[in-house]
């Protein structure tokens, strides 16, 4: 079995901060101790760097068809990009088509990922159709390691479920040990507002956020928390964008409910003011829930520091601004005449750790432990991957990032690994970046050079959710 020794490692986990050597044998961390004198195939001297658990991005959409367009990263380009930024596991979303079984979506996503993913991957199942006699399919998925389900209160044409169906799915998850993720925006109100705006000739990208005000997110979050409480199931609100929605989560947690929330870099760093003028370039920011006004960001940063939100994921769902980039068809341009036709989503999987390190650790003085908790440990625990993933410990997978605080990095679309022709964080400079990224014992990035293998990533059967 190949061996790797990391010496002088300043090890950071969600709870630890100490210096030691790490001996890796095959996929696993075998030993951690001071002055390990083990012969190894490769030795990395990590002096001066933090050694942190590989990032877990629990919300990505690789190769996702959203109707007229397909997200521009597939499992190969998207996972290589993820690894470049220090993410060694993703959780993606097989999406059930109405009238078809969830199993068909799972088979399709296995096909998309197998032989392509460069890092490990797991799945949440998106449910769009749930007649009573399909309920046992949820139990089967939980047994096979798909232990969470995403439900939608938005997108009436493809994904939205009525409250009774949401309640039914939640109740079943409560019985079979599954965990519920919610996309919470009031889809019926949004569709009404969109139609009114288009009819009034308000077609430019800046109307996208105006058709999805804070209240539609706040209302849906409030409602799904109430449904989850009735169903006695833990619930995780994905991509929280509005401080008013976040406050619903905080209030529920104060009442002792098992309610969790994630936010994403786009809601922490991007602002409505940057595309309020109606210019076409604003299409690059079109995602749902939408990017809010700048003042909203502060509330989300406080919520992450105070544990009112527990995870930062990306909701990585890239679409190109211009037709033809690396041979890709028209994507964002599909909505040139009508903002409602702009494919929703932004890229981010490559820069999540960069951005949170800069915004959290460098600029707000967060501990490295909090950084590890938000980017790796909390998603590992919530989604049943801990302690195999999400920490640096004997017996855990050797998913390790050697994070060099002296290695400055500037985000540039021209150099990024994501297959998309823009980066929303263009020209931002980060005061640190990964010097090495190690996935299950294999060095897959050395600085900016990919030395891994597409297809080396494995499907992860996840266990049950645990509290964070
Ligand atoms: O705009 C977004 N978020 N696109 C991805 C699909 C989803 O709703 O998460
Ligand atoms: Zn969503
Ligand atoms: Zn999403």
């Amino acid at each position: 079995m190949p061996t790797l020794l990391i010496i002088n490692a300043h090890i950071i986990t969600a709870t630890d901060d100490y210096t030691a050597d790490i001996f890796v044998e095959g996929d696993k961390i075998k030993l951690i101790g001071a002055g390990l004198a083990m012969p190894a195939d490769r030795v990395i001297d990590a002096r001066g760097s933090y050694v942190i658990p590989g990032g877990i991005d629990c919300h990505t959409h690789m190769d996702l068809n959203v109707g007229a367009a397909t997200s521009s990263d597939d499992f190969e380009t998207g996972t290589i990009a993820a690894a470049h930024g220090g993410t060694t596991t993703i959780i993606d979303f097989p999406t059930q088509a109405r009238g078809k079984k969830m199993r068909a979506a799972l088979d399709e996503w296995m096909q998309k990922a197998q032989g392509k993913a460069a890092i490990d991957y797991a799945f949440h199942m998106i449910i769009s159709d749930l007649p009573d006699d399909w309920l046992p399919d949820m139990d089967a998925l939980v047994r096979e390691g798909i232990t969470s389900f995403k439900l939608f209160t938005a997108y009436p044409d493809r994904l939205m479920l009525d409250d009774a169906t949401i309640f039914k799915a939640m109740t079943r998850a409560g019985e079979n040990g599954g965990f519920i993720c919610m996309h919470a925006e009031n889809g019926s109100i949004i569709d009404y507002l969109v139609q009114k705006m288009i009819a009034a000739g308000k077609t430019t990208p800046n109307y996208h956020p105006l058709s999805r005000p804070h209240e539609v997110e706040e209302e849906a979050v409030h409602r799904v928390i109430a449904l989850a409480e009735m169903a006695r199931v833990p619930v995780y609100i994905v991509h929280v964008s509005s401080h008013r929605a976040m406050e619903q989560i905080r209030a529920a947690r104060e009442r002792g409910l098992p309610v969790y929330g994630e936010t994403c870099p786009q809601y922490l760093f991007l602002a409505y003011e940057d595309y309020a003028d109606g210019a076409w370039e604003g299409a690059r920011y079109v995602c749902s829930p939408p990017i809010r006004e700048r003042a909203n960001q502060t509330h989300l940063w406080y919520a992450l520091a105070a544990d009112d939100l527990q995870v930062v994921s990306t909701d990585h769902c890239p679409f190109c601004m211009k037709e033809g980039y690396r041979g890709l068809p028209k994507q964002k341009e599909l909505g040139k005449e009508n903002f409602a036709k702009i494919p929703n989503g932004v890229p981010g999987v490559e820069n999540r750790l960069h951005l949170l390190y800069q915004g959290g650790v460098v600029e707000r003085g967060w501990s490295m432990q909090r950084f590890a908790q938000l980017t790796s440990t909390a998603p590992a625990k919530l989604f049943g991957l801990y302690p195999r993933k999400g920490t640096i410990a004997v017996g855990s997978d050797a998913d390790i990032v050697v994070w060099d605080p002296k290695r400055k990095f500037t985000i540039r679309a021209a150099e990024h690994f994501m297959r998309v022709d823009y980066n929303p964080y263009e020209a931002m400079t980060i005061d640190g970046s990964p010097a090495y990224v190690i996935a299950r014992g294999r060095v897959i990035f050395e600085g900016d050079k990919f030395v891994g293998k597409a297809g080396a990533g494995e499907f992860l059967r996840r266990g049950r959710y645990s509290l964070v």
Side-chain angles (χ1 to χ4, degrees):
M1 256 192 282
T3 52
L4 169 69
L5 183 64
I6 307 173
I7 59 171
N8 302 311
H10 182 174
I11 298 171
I12 301 285
T13 71
T15 49
D16 304 304
D17 180 340
Y18 64 103
T19 299
D21 301 337
I22 303 170
F23 181 68
V24 174
E25 193 176 68
D27 292 2
K28 302 282 183 195
I29 297 172
K30 187 85 181 184
L31 278 174
I32 300 177
L36 294 183
M38 318 283 295
D41 299 323
R42 178 156 188 196
V43 177
I44 291 175
D45 188 348
R47 189 183 296 276
S49 291
Y50 298 112
V51 174
I52 58 176
I56 299 174
D57 190 340
C58 60
H59 190 155
T60 67
H61 300 283
M62 307 300 174
D63 201 356
L64 173 70
N65 182 273
V66 293
T70 298
S71 59
S72 59
D73 268 318
D74 62 14
F75 275 82
E76 181 170 334
T77 59
T79 56
I80 291 173
H84 178 235
T87 288
T88 53
T89 300
I90 60 165
I91 313 183
D92 206 270
F93 293 85
T95 304
Q96 180 198 22
R98 286 191 178 145
K100 294 214 174 127
K101 301 276 268 182
M102 290 178 244
R103 172 73 44 194
L106 178 59
D107 292 346
E108 191 187 339
W109 256 256
M110 286 288 190
Q111 289 278 320
K112 287 176 196 265
Q114 270 164 7
K116 295 193 102 178
I119 57 174
D120 290 350
Y121 54 94
F123 295 133
H124 317 274
M125 176 60 67
I126 288 178
I127 302 179
S128 65
D129 199 359
L130 193 62
D132 286 352
D133 56 343
W134 289 5
L135 281 166
D137 297 359
M138 289 179 70
D139 310 345
L141 288 172
V142 170
R143 286 194 297 271
E144 291 170 44
I146 321 287
T147 51
S148 46
F149 301 89
K150 183 180 178 192
L151 315 175
F152 284 74
T153 62
Y155 302 121
D157 53 332
R158 287 187 305 120
L159 299 166
M160 185 168 118
L161 300 177
D162 60 44
D163 291 349
T165 308
I166 291 173
F167 181 66
K168 181 164 73 172
M170 284 179 163
T171 305
R172 192 68 171 210
E175 288 162 4
N176 66 24
F179 189 30
I180 293 291
C181 305
M182 287 298 320
H183 177 128
E185 294 181 288
N186 187 319
S188 316
I189 304 294
I190 291 166
D191 269 19
Y192 170 73
L193 292 174
V194 168
Q195 278 163 29
K196 251 181 69 170
M197 285 176 180
I198 298 298
K202 298 174 174 173
T203 58
T204 47
N206 56 320
Y207 286 104
H208 171 77
L210 300 179
S211 69
R212 308 175 96 97
H214 287 267
E215 290 86 344
V216 299
E217 188 180 351
E218 180 185 30
E219 180 279 325
V221 169
H222 180 88
R223 176 163 35 111
V224 301
I225 290 172
L227 296 177
E229 185 176 6
M230 273 195 285
R232 299 179 184 281
V233 70
V235 67
Y236 177 89
I237 314 295
V238 299
H239 48 45
V240 175
S241 76
S242 162
H243 69 102
R244 293 176 58 156
M246 177 274 290
E247 276 154 19
Q248 294 296 323
I249 296 170
R250 175 169 39 212
R253 290 173 62 78
E254 275 171 7
R255 289 202 290 123
L257 295 177
V259 174
Y260 305 92
E262 68 175 20
T263 191
C264 313
Q266 53 270 34
Y267 306 120
L268 297 167
F269 289 89
L270 306 178
Y272 170 65
E273 288 84 342
D274 297 336
Y275 68 120
D277 63 0
W280 166 246
E281 281 304 298
R284 61 177 57 207
Y285 301 123
V286 168
C287 61
S288 296
I291 295 195
R292 308 287 180 187
E293 60 284 358
R294 191 160 275 112
N296 185 70
Q297 294 171 358
T298 314
H299 299 277
L300 299 182
W301 281 108
Y302 283 153
L304 288 171
D307 212 41
D308 295 330
L309 296 173
Q310 292 72 39
V311 172
V312 176
S313 69
T314 60
D315 194 10
H316 177 74
C317 194
F319 297 100
C320 292
M321 285 294 286
K322 280 211 159 49
E323 185 176 2
Y325 177 75
R326 299 213 222 163
L328 291 167
K330 207 177 261 195
Q331 298 186 329
K332 291 281 189 187
E333 284 167 317
L334 292 165
K336 260 227 146 118
E337 311 302 326
N338 177 346
F339 74 84
K341 295 194 173 152
I342 300 172
N344 283 201
V346 292
V349 77
E350 186 165 352
N351 302 120
R352 181 179 61 119
L353 271 67
H354 295 133
L355 292 162
L356 205 67
Y357 179 79
Q358 189 66 24
V361 177
V362 176
E363 289 168 11
R364 287 176 178 77
W366 289 3
S367 67
M368 282 299 287
Q369 286 103 322
R370 184 69 188 151
F371 176 64
Q373 167 83 10
L374 288 164
T375 56
S376 181
T377 313
K381 288 186 176 174
L382 284 168
F383 294 110
L385 290 169
Y386 191 84
R388 178 174 174 190
K389 308 282 190 190
T391 192
I392 294 181
V394 172
S396 294
D397 280 0
D399 292 349
I400 296 170
V401 177
V402 178
W403 185 279
D404 184 351
K406 296 176 301 309
R407 200 172 176 277
K408 272 195 192 273
F409 175 78
T410 302
I411 297 176
R412 296 207 189 281
E415 287 155 21
H416 70 197
F417 286 80
M418 296 181 288
R419 187 164 59 188
V420 62
D421 59 355
Y422 75 100
N423 191 309
Y425 314 101
E426 185 72 24
M428 243 186 92
T429 296
I430 312 298
D431 295 319
S433 61
Y436 298 93
V437 178
I438 298 156
R440 270 192 296 101
R442 296 161 289 118
V443 176
I444 61 168
F445 260 98
E446 301 200 25
D448 298 325
K449 188 157 183 272
F450 177 60
V451 293
K453 220 170 69 202
E458 286 180 2
F459 170 68
L460 301 168
R461 291 170 72 106
R462 293 183 290 116
R464 303 277 169 94
Y465 129 99
S466 67
L467 282 169
V468 290

